[in-house]
Amino acid sequence: MCGIVGYTGHDNARDIIIDGLKKLEYRGYDSAGIALLSKGELIVRKQKGKIVNLEKEIADENLQGTTGIGHTRWATHGVPSDLNAHPHTNEDGTIAIVHNGIVENYMDLRKWLIEEHHVSFRTDTDSEVIAHLISVLNEGNLEDAVLAAVKMMKGAYAFAAISKSEPGKIVAFRKDAPLIAGLGKGCNFIASDIPALLKYLNKIYLIENGELVICTPEQIQILDQQKQPVKRDVLQVTWSLEDAEKEGYEHFMLKEIHEQPKAIRETLMRRLDERGKVKLDGISLTLEDLERFNKIYIVACGTAYHAGLVGKYIIEKMARIPVEVDVASEFRYRDPFVDDKTLFIAISQSGETLDTLAALREAKRKGARVLSVVNVVGSSVARESDDVFYTWAGPEIAVASTKAYTTQLICLYLIGLYMGDLRGTISDSYYHSVLQELKAVPEKVSAIIERANEIEELAKYLYNRDQVFFIGRGTDSAVAYEGSLKLKEVSYINSFAIAAGELKHGTIALMEPETIVIALATQDALFDKMYSNIVEVKARLAHVVSIAKEGNDRIGQESTEVIFIPECIDEVTPLLSVIPLQLFAYYVARERGEDIDKPRNLAKSVTVE
Ligand code: F6R
């Protein structure tokens, strides 16, 4: 969703801000803009479409300025257009703002500004009210005006403002939308997200809800709404610039698929102690806690939800505690049975997904203990949880989630093993054998990736179909949902996933000669049942691509093609079987010439409902 970058220092703010915005492109956007304080003037340039359009627009202008703010917009209120793009200004063009989030009461504020202050609005956005509010409430300095404005605003937002009369200063405010401040050398920054700043610094402040930031080249001040200084520790960022660059790969999605062996290893090894046992370091989950929990809710959205579906199988099997998995947007509105005997596990790569955050708050309000599985350190989900289990995937830039998913799975396995061990619901030998299998996963993932050309060939053959079905049983059904989502989001092919046993209750009606069915058949314990489902669709002359473990010599009899994954125990197949599906989605989208890293209508971080 929208991205914000602000710079104040001594270099050309234009280039630094545009560079930062490019690093936020992955969040999804439809227009971009920049405002600079330049030689006593406030200059605003904005353009519908990609950042390159904006660059072209300003290429011949010698825009100078050492303070500025920039924005990538993901339209919510008002169509994507030059006019609705940010920054927005007050009527006389002396104040500019960029905004991420939604001002929920913008209609009331608009009415008030028109009736009481005769303001004329130029755009259809909710954001424009912020510039006018700051302007009409400005009686001295920008920070007081911003604080007065936020008292009137409702919603979830982060925004930054600059004023012609206060050169060198950026004032930003956060309420329920991501905002960080970055400490440079002789310069300072604000941004929505870490990748925007990685080229320039590795020390940041995480800004909390209800906090105001005043940024000048010399210092960053964080104040609360009573203007009292807030003391905040500096966070040292461990991600490198290379993590956020393509490094020779054609797309971030392909790079991130290839990064999985490393990311899985990192996530796993950081949670194993010298005896080779799971360590929770800083997370307190005692036996007493576990005996108290009578239910676990896993709540998330999209791919993270699919990781949760696998998590249910794993945790129930190992810890023998009932687990319910829910999409966050449903959970929060259905008055779920949550109390102080509930463990609530939120899963989120970004840690900023509004639905997940709202569900977490609802669970907390009802007394649940909250443990989150998060990739972005210091994100909102992480900060609002009682405990955090970080994935060590590094920044995930492609909109389609890959390495976040597999590292989320690793966390869920570790949680399951830890709980099972503590509760005595698994034996020592089982515990160690699963850990051994998990340790072997990075190499097995590499082995699958090395055979990517087989999947590329398959994609070349199948890329122009208009419908694909994914079927599976047990954890294979969870992976089927993920494979289907991957394919539809990057290739725009209509894909559909279903638990294989459900086929004959309706969906099999759609099987015709040459219908593509991707059948996950990796579960030894369920193989015979799954085989029957494959036979059923094959009998309708479907084109069946099966995914099975090496050494399975029955699967070929009824499949048109088979993709083999290395031998492993049933429990860990989701970590392997998803890899060919990610590659398949990628290569199909590439054959179709789609914008793989930034699929249409999608945003990386969904910070609105
Ligand atoms: C799909 C995808 C999305 C996200 C979902 C949740 O590839 O990336 O479905 O998984 O929007 O995002 P996070 O994990 O950031 O909460």
PDB file of all heavy atoms in Angstrom, residues 57 130 134 578:
ATOM      1  N   GLU A  57       8.809  13.038 -16.168  1.00  0.00           N
ATOM      2  CA  GLU A  57       8.149  14.340 -16.037  1.00  0.00           C
ATOM      3  C   GLU A  57       9.119  15.414 -15.517  1.00  0.00           C
ATOM      4  O   GLU A  57       9.093  16.553 -15.946  1.00  0.00           O
ATOM      5  CB  GLU A  57       6.953  14.161 -15.087  1.00  0.00           C
ATOM      6  CG  GLU A  57       6.337  15.400 -14.490  1.00  0.00           C
ATOM      7  CD  GLU A  57       5.403  16.101 -15.459  1.00  0.00           C
ATOM      8  OE1 GLU A  57       5.145  15.537 -16.536  1.00  0.00           O
ATOM      9  OE2 GLU A  57       4.968  17.228 -15.128  1.00  0.00           O
ATOM     10  N   ILE A 130      -5.921  16.624   5.262  1.00  0.00           N
ATOM     11  CA  ILE A 130      -4.818  16.780   6.227  1.00  0.00           C
ATOM     12  C   ILE A 130      -4.064  18.082   5.940  1.00  0.00           C
ATOM     13  O   ILE A 130      -3.756  18.860   6.851  1.00  0.00           O
ATOM     14  CB  ILE A 130      -3.848  15.573   6.180  1.00  0.00           C
ATOM     15  CG1 ILE A 130      -4.605  14.257   6.410  1.00  0.00           C
ATOM     16  CG2 ILE A 130      -2.735  15.725   7.207  1.00  0.00           C
ATOM     17  CD1 ILE A 130      -3.744  12.998   6.252  1.00  0.00           C
ATOM     18  N   ILE A 134      -3.952  21.189   8.630  1.00  0.00           N
ATOM     19  CA  ILE A 134      -2.691  21.729   9.169  1.00  0.00           C
ATOM     20  C   ILE A 134      -2.613  23.221   8.868  1.00  0.00           C
ATOM     21  O   ILE A 134      -2.194  24.029   9.698  1.00  0.00           O
ATOM     22  CB  ILE A 134      -1.477  20.978   8.559  1.00  0.00           C
ATOM     23  CG1 ILE A 134      -1.476  19.528   9.026  1.00  0.00           C
ATOM     24  CG2 ILE A 134      -0.162  21.648   8.928  1.00  0.00           C
ATOM     25  CD1 ILE A 134      -0.417  18.639   8.368  1.00  0.00           C
ATOM     26  N   VAL A 578       5.606 -27.160  -1.756  1.00  0.00           N
ATOM     27  CA  VAL A 578       5.210 -25.818  -2.180  1.00  0.00           C
ATOM     28  C   VAL A 578       6.222 -25.231  -3.184  1.00  0.00           C
ATOM     29  O   VAL A 578       5.871 -24.380  -3.997  1.00  0.00           O
ATOM     30  CB  VAL A 578       5.045 -24.874  -0.958  1.00  0.00           C
ATOM     31  CG1 VAL A 578       6.395 -24.477  -0.368  1.00  0.00           C
ATOM     32  CG2 VAL A 578       4.227 -23.643  -1.307  1.00  0.00           C
TER      33      VAL A 578
END
